[in-house]
Amino acid sequence: MIKVTRKNETKEFETVADLFKTTRQERNKYFGTYLAEVTDERPLELEGLVKKVEEQVGMYEELLQNLKGLKEVVVAEKKIKMI
């Protein structure tokens, strides 16, 4: 079972294949990026999907660290301006 949430909207899928029966736009809403295209002519390749997901997790972890660092500086500068 796969449970995805975005802005308090939750959907559940029994399998990865069920998830990929949704539109690309809907998957992008939940994962923020293109992961894989699945068609009758191009079946889901789990090996490739794992690699893509790992790459995306690494990228989002870096982005999250950058945002957290920016937040700290913004909060600190805001406090200085309030003094």
Side-chain angles (χ1 to χ4, degrees):
M1 173 85 54
I2 302 160
K3 185 176 179 180
V4 293
T5 304
R6 175 82 172 133
K7 295 185 179 180
N8 297 324
E9 179 184 334
T10 300
K11 284 201 170 185
E12 294 182 354
F13 302 92
E14 289 294 321
T15 65
V16 173
D18 290 338
L19 171 66
F20 277 86
K21 290 178 185 173
T22 62
T23 65
R24 180 175 174 176
Q25 181 180 10
E26 186 173 359
R27 291 190 304 274
N28 287 356
K29 178 173 81 173
Y30 291 112
F31 301 107
T33 188
Y34 168 83
L35 294 174
E37 192 64 42
V38 178
T39 65
D40 290 338
E41 297 82 32
R42 191 173 178 182
L44 180 63
E45 294 181 28
L46 293 177
E47 184 75 27
L49 181 58
V50 167
K51 183 178 178 183
K52 180 69 174 182
V53 169
E54 287 173 346
E55 290 171 359
Q56 293 300 312
V57 167
M59 181 189 75
Y60 282 114
E61 286 175 346
E62 284 182 342
L63 292 172
L64 181 58
Q65 288 301 93
N66 291 342
L67 287 169
K68 286 180 177 181
L70 176 61
K71 179 183 174 185
E72 288 178 17
V73 173
V74 169
V75 168
E77 287 186 14
K78 182 179 173 187
K79 286 180 182 177
I80 291 170
K81 287 189 177 190
M82 295 181 88
I83 295 177

